[in-house]
Amino acid sequence: QVELVESGGGLVQPGGSLRLSCAASGRIFSINNIGWYRQAPGKQRELVATITRSGTTNYADSVKGRFTISTDNAKNTVCLQMNSLKPEDTAVYYCNAELSHEAGNNYYHYWGQGTQVTVAS
């Protein structure tokens, strides 16, 4: 019913910048919350940043001041601007959306396929 397509991952040097994007398509009535999670090998998936329909943002302490999340509601897209990247930011980044398919309060979660971000010199 819904697909989340991510782009922008890759290899970058420490201190560099990278911009990730995620576009949601399909049977979407409203997106309540959308954001990014990441998972490094041997570690649990963790929240990076999220943003609500009203624009309220939430960031992991480890990325505050370096990452910025934004949305384009008309296009059902979310972006993550990552600056001052560190080797510890290396992980697979996943897009996640909490959305409804029709009018009402029934929300469902969808995940993107993940995109690799590697920070190394």
Side-chain angles (χ1 to χ4, degrees):
Q1 291 184 290
V2 171
E3 285 190 313
L4 303 181
V5 181
E6 302 161 315
S7 63
L11 174 65
V12 66
Q13 295 186 70
S17 298
L18 207 60
R19 186 176 179 84
L20 305 181
S21 64
C22 173
S25 62
R27 187 175 163 226
I28 302 171
F29 181 80
S30 179
I31 297 177
N32 186 58
N33 188 281
I34 192 167
W36 297 89
Y37 294 73
R38 67 186 182 187
Q39 186 170 24
K43 294 187 176 181
Q44 291 187 308
R45 189 171 299 186
E46 64 176 354
L47 180 148
V48 177
T50 61
I51 185 168
T52 69
R53 182 175 55 223
S54 62
T56 300
T57 58
N58 183 38
Y59 296 92
D61 288 340
S62 60
V63 307
K64 287 181 179 178
R66 300 188 297 120
F67 292 9
T68 302
I69 189 169
S70 62
T71 59
D72 183 339
N73 291 330
K75 297 181 179 180
N76 290 141
T77 60
V78 61
C79 293
L80 184 68
Q81 178 65 46
M82 304 184 292
N83 299 323
S84 301
L85 284 162
K86 305 175 180 180
E88 46 263 49
D89 293 318
T90 296
V92 176
Y93 284 68
Y94 297 90
C95 180
N96 172 265
E98 181 183 84
L99 55 85
S100 62
H101 299 303
E102 59 188 21
N105 294 315
N106 293 323
Y107 290 90
Y108 304 86
H109 284 91
Y110 289 89
W111 290 91
Q113 77 286 353
T115 184
Q116 178 70 48
V117 172
T118 302
V119 184
S121 58

mmCIF file with all atom_site columns, all heavy atoms in Angstrom, residues 4 8-9 12 17 20 40 46-47 49 54-55 66 71 75 79 85 100-101 109 113 115 117 120:
data_model
loop_
_atom_site.group_PDB
_atom_site.id
_atom_site.type_symbol
_atom_site.label_atom_id
_atom_site.label_alt_id
_atom_site.label_comp_id
_atom_site.label_asym_id
_atom_site.label_entity_id
_atom_site.label_seq_id
_atom_site.pdbx_PDB_ins_code
_atom_site.Cartn_x
_atom_site.Cartn_y
_atom_site.Cartn_z
_atom_site.occupancy
_atom_site.B_iso_or_equiv
_atom_site.pdbx_formal_charge
_atom_site.auth_seq_id
_atom_site.auth_comp_id
_atom_site.auth_asym_id
_atom_site.auth_atom_id
_atom_site.pdbx_PDB_model_num
ATOM 1   N N   . LEU A 1 4   ? 8.359  3.626  0.855  1.00 0.00 ? 4   LEU A N   1
ATOM 2   C CA  . LEU A 1 4   ? 9.254  4.700  1.248  1.00 0.00 ? 4   LEU A CA  1
ATOM 3   C C   . LEU A 1 4   ? 10.550 4.500  0.478  1.00 0.00 ? 4   LEU A C   1
ATOM 4   O O   . LEU A 1 4   ? 11.219 3.477  0.641  1.00 0.00 ? 4   LEU A O   1
ATOM 5   C CB  . LEU A 1 4   ? 9.528  4.677  2.752  1.00 0.00 ? 4   LEU A CB  1
ATOM 6   C CG  . LEU A 1 4   ? 8.316  4.758  3.685  1.00 0.00 ? 4   LEU A CG  1
ATOM 7   C CD1 . LEU A 1 4   ? 8.777  4.749  5.137  1.00 0.00 ? 4   LEU A CD1 1
ATOM 8   C CD2 . LEU A 1 4   ? 7.505  6.015  3.400  1.00 0.00 ? 4   LEU A CD2 1
ATOM 9   N N   . GLY A 1 8   ? 20.521 9.256  -1.175 1.00 0.00 ? 8   GLY A N   1
ATOM 10  C CA  . GLY A 1 8   ? 21.481 10.177 -0.610 1.00 0.00 ? 8   GLY A CA  1
ATOM 11  C C   . GLY A 1 8   ? 22.598 9.567  0.208  1.00 0.00 ? 8   GLY A C   1
ATOM 12  O O   . GLY A 1 8   ? 23.538 10.272 0.604  1.00 0.00 ? 8   GLY A O   1
ATOM 13  N N   . GLY A 1 9   ? 22.536 8.279  0.485  1.00 0.00 ? 9   GLY A N   1
ATOM 14  C CA  . GLY A 1 9   ? 23.578 7.638  1.267  1.00 0.00 ? 9   GLY A CA  1
ATOM 15  C C   . GLY A 1 9   ? 24.871 7.518  0.476  1.00 0.00 ? 9   GLY A C   1
ATOM 16  O O   . GLY A 1 9   ? 24.887 7.668  -0.742 1.00 0.00 ? 9   GLY A O   1
ATOM 17  N N   . VAL A 1 12  ? 31.554 9.452  2.983  1.00 0.00 ? 12  VAL A N   1
ATOM 18  C CA  . VAL A 1 12  ? 31.956 10.836 3.212  1.00 0.00 ? 12  VAL A CA  1
ATOM 19  C C   . VAL A 1 12  ? 33.067 10.873 4.256  1.00 0.00 ? 12  VAL A C   1
ATOM 20  O O   . VAL A 1 12  ? 33.139 10.007 5.132  1.00 0.00 ? 12  VAL A O   1
ATOM 21  C CB  . VAL A 1 12  ? 30.746 11.693 3.659  1.00 0.00 ? 12  VAL A CB  1
ATOM 22  C CG1 . VAL A 1 12  ? 30.240 11.231 5.021  1.00 0.00 ? 12  VAL A CG1 1
ATOM 23  C CG2 . VAL A 1 12  ? 31.100 13.164 3.683  1.00 0.00 ? 12  VAL A CG2 1
ATOM 24  N N   . SER A 1 17  ? 29.596 16.554 4.989  1.00 0.00 ? 17  SER A N   1
ATOM 25  C CA  . SER A 1 17  ? 28.142 16.633 5.046  1.00 0.00 ? 17  SER A CA  1
ATOM 26  C C   . SER A 1 17  ? 27.497 15.682 4.058  1.00 0.00 ? 17  SER A C   1
ATOM 27  O O   . SER A 1 17  ? 28.082 15.312 3.038  1.00 0.00 ? 17  SER A O   1
ATOM 28  C CB  . SER A 1 17  ? 27.673 18.060 4.746  1.00 0.00 ? 17  SER A CB  1
ATOM 29  O OG  . SER A 1 17  ? 28.157 18.987 5.699  1.00 0.00 ? 17  SER A OG  1
ATOM 30  N N   . LEU A 1 20  ? 20.209 13.113 3.223  1.00 0.00 ? 20  LEU A N   1
ATOM 31  C CA  . LEU A 1 20  ? 19.364 11.974 2.918  1.00 0.00 ? 20  LEU A CA  1
ATOM 32  C C   . LEU A 1 20  ? 17.948 12.450 2.630  1.00 0.00 ? 20  LEU A C   1
ATOM 33  O O   . LEU A 1 20  ? 17.482 13.424 3.209  1.00 0.00 ? 20  LEU A O   1
ATOM 34  C CB  . LEU A 1 20  ? 19.324 10.984 4.084  1.00 0.00 ? 20  LEU A CB  1
ATOM 35  C CG  . LEU A 1 20  ? 20.648 10.444 4.616  1.00 0.00 ? 20  LEU A CG  1
ATOM 36  C CD1 . LEU A 1 20  ? 20.381 9.456  5.743  1.00 0.00 ? 20  LEU A CD1 1
ATOM 37  C CD2 . LEU A 1 20  ? 21.456 9.796  3.504  1.00 0.00 ? 20  LEU A CD2 1
ATOM 38  N N   . ALA A 1 40  ? 23.871 0.172  13.336 1.00 0.00 ? 40  ALA A N   1
ATOM 39  C CA  . ALA A 1 40  ? 25.226 -0.245 13.035 1.00 0.00 ? 40  ALA A CA  1
ATOM 40  C C   . ALA A 1 40  ? 25.335 -1.740 13.305 1.00 0.00 ? 40  ALA A C   1
ATOM 41  O O   . ALA A 1 40  ? 24.568 -2.292 14.104 1.00 0.00 ? 40  ALA A O   1
ATOM 42  C CB  . ALA A 1 40  ? 26.227 0.529  13.895 1.00 0.00 ? 40  ALA A CB  1
ATOM 43  N N   . GLU A 1 46  ? 18.348 2.577  16.407 1.00 0.00 ? 46  GLU A N   1
ATOM 44  C CA  . GLU A 1 46  ? 18.092 3.694  17.290 1.00 0.00 ? 46  GLU A CA  1
ATOM 45  C C   . GLU A 1 46  ? 17.490 4.879  16.541 1.00 0.00 ? 46  GLU A C   1
ATOM 46  O O   . GLU A 1 46  ? 17.718 5.063  15.348 1.00 0.00 ? 46  GLU A O   1
ATOM 47  C CB  . GLU A 1 46  ? 19.379 4.146  17.983 1.00 0.00 ? 46  GLU A CB  1
ATOM 48  C CG  . GLU A 1 46  ? 20.437 4.690  17.037 1.00 0.00 ? 46  GLU A CG  1
ATOM 49  C CD  . GLU A 1 46  ? 21.662 5.215  17.751 1.00 0.00 ? 46  GLU A CD  1
ATOM 50  O OE1 . GLU A 1 46  ? 21.661 5.265  18.998 1.00 0.00 ? 46  GLU A OE1 1
ATOM 51  O OE2 . GLU A 1 46  ? 22.634 5.588  17.060 1.00 0.00 ? 46  GLU A OE2 1
ATOM 52  N N   . LEU A 1 47  ? 16.744 5.676  17.269 1.00 0.00 ? 47  LEU A N   1
ATOM 53  C CA  . LEU A 1 47  ? 16.149 6.879  16.706 1.00 0.00 ? 47  LEU A CA  1
ATOM 54  C C   . LEU A 1 47  ? 17.226 7.918  16.428 1.00 0.00 ? 47  LEU A C   1
ATOM 55  O O   . LEU A 1 47  ? 18.125 8.124  17.235 1.00 0.00 ? 47  LEU A O   1
ATOM 56  C CB  . LEU A 1 47  ? 15.107 7.451  17.669 1.00 0.00 ? 47  LEU A CB  1
ATOM 57  C CG  . LEU A 1 47  ? 14.364 8.719  17.238 1.00 0.00 ? 47  LEU A CG  1
ATOM 58  C CD1 . LEU A 1 47  ? 12.948 8.713  17.801 1.00 0.00 ? 47  LEU A CD1 1
ATOM 59  C CD2 . LEU A 1 47  ? 15.089 9.969  17.723 1.00 0.00 ? 47  LEU A CD2 1
ATOM 60  N N   . ALA A 1 49  ? 16.201 11.099 14.275 1.00 0.00 ? 49  ALA A N   1
ATOM 61  C CA  . ALA A 1 49  ? 15.415 12.323 14.274 1.00 0.00 ? 49  ALA A CA  1
ATOM 62  C C   . ALA A 1 49  ? 14.027 12.049 13.721 1.00 0.00 ? 49  ALA A C   1
ATOM 63  O O   . ALA A 1 49  ? 13.867 11.252 12.797 1.00 0.00 ? 49  ALA A O   1
ATOM 64  C CB  . ALA A 1 49  ? 16.095 13.409 13.441 1.00 0.00 ? 49  ALA A CB  1
ATOM 65  N N   . SER A 1 54  ? 2.753  18.573 12.547 1.00 0.00 ? 54  SER A N   1
ATOM 66  C CA  . SER A 1 54  ? 2.718  19.972 12.948 1.00 0.00 ? 54  SER A CA  1
ATOM 67  C C   . SER A 1 54  ? 4.098  20.631 12.954 1.00 0.00 ? 54  SER A C   1
ATOM 68  O O   . SER A 1 54  ? 4.208  21.836 13.164 1.00 0.00 ? 54  SER A O   1
ATOM 69  C CB  . SER A 1 54  ? 2.083  20.115 14.329 1.00 0.00 ? 54  SER A CB  1
ATOM 70  O OG  . SER A 1 54  ? 2.837  19.438 15.310 1.00 0.00 ? 54  SER A OG  1
ATOM 71  N N   . GLY A 1 55  ? 5.150  19.837 12.753 1.00 0.00 ? 55  GLY A N   1
ATOM 72  C CA  . GLY A 1 55  ? 6.481  20.392 12.691 1.00 0.00 ? 55  GLY A CA  1
ATOM 73  C C   . GLY A 1 55  ? 7.336  20.215 13.933 1.00 0.00 ? 55  GLY A C   1
ATOM 74  O O   . GLY A 1 55  ? 8.459  20.736 13.995 1.00 0.00 ? 55  GLY A O   1
ATOM 75  N N   . ARG A 1 66  ? 24.040 18.984 14.895 1.00 0.00 ? 66  ARG A N   1
ATOM 76  C CA  . ARG A 1 66  ? 24.726 18.568 13.674 1.00 0.00 ? 66  ARG A CA  1
ATOM 77  C C   . ARG A 1 66  ? 23.761 18.151 12.569 1.00 0.00 ? 66  ARG A C   1
ATOM 78  O O   . ARG A 1 66  ? 24.032 18.380 11.387 1.00 0.00 ? 66  ARG A O   1
ATOM 79  C CB  . ARG A 1 66  ? 25.680 17.411 13.959 1.00 0.00 ? 66  ARG A CB  1
ATOM 80  C CG  . ARG A 1 66  ? 26.769 17.737 14.976 1.00 0.00 ? 66  ARG A CG  1
ATOM 81  C CD  . ARG A 1 66  ? 27.800 16.621 15.063 1.00 0.00 ? 66  ARG A CD  1
ATOM 82  N NE  . ARG A 1 66  ? 27.218 15.367 15.530 1.00 0.00 ? 66  ARG A NE  1
ATOM 83  C CZ  . ARG A 1 66  ? 27.224 14.236 14.825 1.00 0.00 ? 66  ARG A CZ  1
ATOM 84  N NH1 . ARG A 1 66  ? 27.776 14.197 13.623 1.00 0.00 ? 66  ARG A NH1 1
ATOM 85  N NH2 . ARG A 1 66  ? 26.680 13.133 15.337 1.00 0.00 ? 66  ARG A NH2 1
ATOM 86  N N   . THR A 1 71  ? 10.639 18.555 6.291  1.00 0.00 ? 71  THR A N   1
ATOM 87  C CA  . THR A 1 71  ? 9.651  17.876 5.460  1.00 0.00 ? 71  THR A CA  1
ATOM 88  C C   . THR A 1 71  ? 9.076  18.792 4.397  1.00 0.00 ? 71  THR A C   1
ATOM 89  O O   . THR A 1 71  ? 9.113  20.020 4.514  1.00 0.00 ? 71  THR A O   1
ATOM 90  C CB  . THR A 1 71  ? 8.473  17.345 6.289  1.00 0.00 ? 71  THR A CB  1
ATOM 91  O OG1 . THR A 1 71  ? 7.833  18.430 6.973  1.00 0.00 ? 71  THR A OG1 1
ATOM 92  C CG2 . THR A 1 71  ? 8.931  16.311 7.293  1.00 0.00 ? 71  THR A CG2 1
ATOM 93  N N   . LYS A 1 75  ? 4.719  16.990 -0.935 1.00 0.00 ? 75  LYS A N   1
ATOM 94  C CA  . LYS A 1 75  ? 5.332  15.895 -1.675 1.00 0.00 ? 75  LYS A CA  1
ATOM 95  C C   . LYS A 1 75  ? 5.531  14.636 -0.834 1.00 0.00 ? 75  LYS A C   1
ATOM 96  O O   . LYS A 1 75  ? 6.074  13.650 -1.323 1.00 0.00 ? 75  LYS A O   1
ATOM 97  C CB  . LYS A 1 75  ? 6.674  16.340 -2.249 1.00 0.00 ? 75  LYS A CB  1
ATOM 98  C CG  . LYS A 1 75  ? 6.571  17.476 -3.255 1.00 0.00 ? 75  LYS A CG  1
ATOM 99  C CD  . LYS A 1 75  ? 7.931  17.846 -3.812 1.00 0.00 ? 75  LYS A CD  1
ATOM 100 C CE  . LYS A 1 75  ? 7.823  18.957 -4.844 1.00 0.00 ? 75  LYS A CE  1
ATOM 101 N NZ  . LYS A 1 75  ? 9.148  19.331 -5.399 1.00 0.00 ? 75  LYS A NZ  1
ATOM 102 N N   . CYS A 1 79  ? 13.671 14.966 4.696  1.00 0.00 ? 79  CYS A N   1
ATOM 103 C CA  . CYS A 1 79  ? 15.101 15.015 4.451  1.00 0.00 ? 79  CYS A CA  1
ATOM 104 C C   . CYS A 1 79  ? 15.854 15.098 5.765  1.00 0.00 ? 79  CYS A C   1
ATOM 105 O O   . CYS A 1 79  ? 15.336 15.587 6.761  1.00 0.00 ? 79  CYS A O   1
ATOM 106 C CB  . CYS A 1 79  ? 15.469 16.215 3.584  1.00 0.00 ? 79  CYS A CB  1
ATOM 107 S SG  . CYS A 1 79  ? 14.852 16.136 1.893  1.00 0.00 ? 79  CYS A SG  1
ATOM 108 N N   . LEU A 1 85  ? 29.963 15.297 10.179 1.00 0.00 ? 85  LEU A N   1
ATOM 109 C CA  . LEU A 1 85  ? 29.832 13.853 10.357 1.00 0.00 ? 85  LEU A CA  1
ATOM 110 C C   . LEU A 1 85  ? 31.045 13.239 11.038 1.00 0.00 ? 85  LEU A C   1
ATOM 111 O O   . LEU A 1 85  ? 32.185 13.654 10.813 1.00 0.00 ? 85  LEU A O   1
ATOM 112 C CB  . LEU A 1 85  ? 29.588 13.182 9.013  1.00 0.00 ? 85  LEU A CB  1
ATOM 113 C CG  . LEU A 1 85  ? 28.159 13.355 8.473  1.00 0.00 ? 85  LEU A CG  1
ATOM 114 C CD1 . LEU A 1 85  ? 28.102 13.059 6.984  1.00 0.00 ? 85  LEU A CD1 1
ATOM 115 C CD2 . LEU A 1 85  ? 27.206 12.439 9.239  1.00 0.00 ? 85  LEU A CD2 1
ATOM 116 N N   . SER A 1 100 ? -1.806 7.316  8.055  1.00 0.00 ? 100 SER A N   1
ATOM 117 C CA  . SER A 1 100 ? -3.143 6.761  7.904  1.00 0.00 ? 100 SER A CA  1
ATOM 118 C C   . SER A 1 100 ? -3.454 6.606  6.425  1.00 0.00 ? 100 SER A C   1
ATOM 119 O O   . SER A 1 100 ? -2.950 7.356  5.585  1.00 0.00 ? 100 SER A O   1
ATOM 120 C CB  . SER A 1 100 ? -4.182 7.656  8.583  1.00 0.00 ? 100 SER A CB  1
ATOM 121 O OG  . SER A 1 100 ? -4.214 8.944  7.987  1.00 0.00 ? 100 SER A OG  1
ATOM 122 N N   . HIS A 1 101 ? -4.310 5.640  6.103  1.00 0.00 ? 101 HIS A N   1
ATOM 123 C CA  . HIS A 1 101 ? -4.710 5.398  4.720  1.00 0.00 ? 101 HIS A CA  1
ATOM 124 C C   . HIS A 1 101 ? -6.008 6.113  4.349  1.00 0.00 ? 101 HIS A C   1
ATOM 125 O O   . HIS A 1 101 ? -6.303 6.273  3.161  1.00 0.00 ? 101 HIS A O   1
ATOM 126 C CB  . HIS A 1 101 ? -4.897 3.898  4.482  1.00 0.00 ? 101 HIS A CB  1
ATOM 127 C CG  . HIS A 1 101 ? -3.645 3.097  4.701  1.00 0.00 ? 101 HIS A CG  1
ATOM 128 N ND1 . HIS A 1 101 ? -2.486 3.346  4.019  1.00 0.00 ? 101 HIS A ND1 1
ATOM 129 C CD2 . HIS A 1 101 ? -3.392 2.054  5.525  1.00 0.00 ? 101 HIS A CD2 1
ATOM 130 C CE1 . HIS A 1 101 ? -1.561 2.499  4.412  1.00 0.00 ? 101 HIS A CE1 1
ATOM 131 N NE2 . HIS A 1 101 ? -2.087 1.700  5.325  1.00 0.00 ? 101 HIS A NE2 1
ATOM 132 N N   . HIS A 1 109 ? 2.668  1.835  10.576 1.00 0.00 ? 109 HIS A N   1
ATOM 133 C CA  . HIS A 1 109 ? 4.084  2.130  10.395 1.00 0.00 ? 109 HIS A CA  1
ATOM 134 C C   . HIS A 1 109 ? 4.647  1.461  9.147  1.00 0.00 ? 109 HIS A C   1
ATOM 135 O O   . HIS A 1 109 ? 4.350  0.297  8.866  1.00 0.00 ? 109 HIS A O   1
ATOM 136 C CB  . HIS A 1 109 ? 4.886  1.667  11.611 1.00 0.00 ? 109 HIS A CB  1
ATOM 137 C CG  . HIS A 1 109 ? 4.745  2.561  12.793 1.00 0.00 ? 109 HIS A CG  1
ATOM 138 N ND1 . HIS A 1 109 ? 3.792  2.375  13.760 1.00 0.00 ? 109 HIS A ND1 1
ATOM 139 C CD2 . HIS A 1 109 ? 5.455  3.655  13.181 1.00 0.00 ? 109 HIS A CD2 1
ATOM 140 C CE1 . HIS A 1 109 ? 3.890  3.307  14.687 1.00 0.00 ? 109 HIS A CE1 1
ATOM 141 N NE2 . HIS A 1 109 ? 4.900  4.092  14.358 1.00 0.00 ? 109 HIS A NE2 1
ATOM 142 N N   . GLN A 1 113 ? 13.873 0.838  2.803  1.00 0.00 ? 113 GLN A N   1
ATOM 143 C CA  . GLN A 1 113 ? 14.798 -0.284 2.643  1.00 0.00 ? 113 GLN A CA  1
ATOM 144 C C   . GLN A 1 113 ? 16.137 -0.069 3.336  1.00 0.00 ? 113 GLN A C   1
ATOM 145 O O   . GLN A 1 113 ? 16.886 -1.020 3.548  1.00 0.00 ? 113 GLN A O   1
ATOM 146 C CB  . GLN A 1 113 ? 15.034 -0.553 1.148  1.00 0.00 ? 113 GLN A CB  1
ATOM 147 C CG  . GLN A 1 113 ? 15.983 0.422  0.454  1.00 0.00 ? 113 GLN A CG  1
ATOM 148 C CD  . GLN A 1 113 ? 15.382 1.786  0.188  1.00 0.00 ? 113 GLN A CD  1
ATOM 149 O OE1 . GLN A 1 113 ? 14.193 2.026  0.397  1.00 0.00 ? 113 GLN A OE1 1
ATOM 150 N NE2 . GLN A 1 113 ? 16.214 2.704  -0.289 1.00 0.00 ? 113 GLN A NE2 1
ATOM 151 N N   . THR A 1 115 ? 19.557 2.903  3.749  1.00 0.00 ? 115 THR A N   1
ATOM 152 C CA  . THR A 1 115 ? 20.644 3.386  2.907  1.00 0.00 ? 115 THR A CA  1
ATOM 153 C C   . THR A 1 115 ? 21.911 3.490  3.751  1.00 0.00 ? 115 THR A C   1
ATOM 154 O O   . THR A 1 115 ? 21.882 3.964  4.884  1.00 0.00 ? 115 THR A O   1
ATOM 155 C CB  . THR A 1 115 ? 20.289 4.752  2.268  1.00 0.00 ? 115 THR A CB  1
ATOM 156 O OG1 . THR A 1 115 ? 21.331 5.157  1.376  1.00 0.00 ? 115 THR A OG1 1
ATOM 157 C CG2 . THR A 1 115 ? 20.082 5.832  3.324  1.00 0.00 ? 115 THR A CG2 1
ATOM 158 N N   . VAL A 1 117 ? 25.361 4.752  5.159  1.00 0.00 ? 117 VAL A N   1
ATOM 159 C CA  . VAL A 1 117 ? 26.154 5.961  5.349  1.00 0.00 ? 117 VAL A CA  1
ATOM 160 C C   . VAL A 1 117 ? 27.463 5.544  6.002  1.00 0.00 ? 117 VAL A C   1
ATOM 161 O O   . VAL A 1 117 ? 27.463 4.959  7.083  1.00 0.00 ? 117 VAL A O   1
ATOM 162 C CB  . VAL A 1 117 ? 25.434 6.995  6.235  1.00 0.00 ? 117 VAL A CB  1
ATOM 163 C CG1 . VAL A 1 117 ? 26.376 8.150  6.576  1.00 0.00 ? 117 VAL A CG1 1
ATOM 164 C CG2 . VAL A 1 117 ? 24.193 7.520  5.527  1.00 0.00 ? 117 VAL A CG2 1
ATOM 165 N N   . ALA A 1 120 ? 34.365 7.878  6.885  1.00 0.00 ? 120 ALA A N   1
ATOM 166 C CA  . ALA A 1 120 ? 35.730 7.391  7.047  1.00 0.00 ? 120 ALA A CA  1
ATOM 167 C C   . ALA A 1 120 ? 36.677 8.168  6.153  1.00 0.00 ? 120 ALA A C   1
ATOM 168 O O   . ALA A 1 120 ? 36.278 8.737  5.136  1.00 0.00 ? 120 ALA A O   1
ATOM 169 C CB  . ALA A 1 120 ? 35.814 5.902  6.718  1.00 0.00 ? 120 ALA A CB  1
#
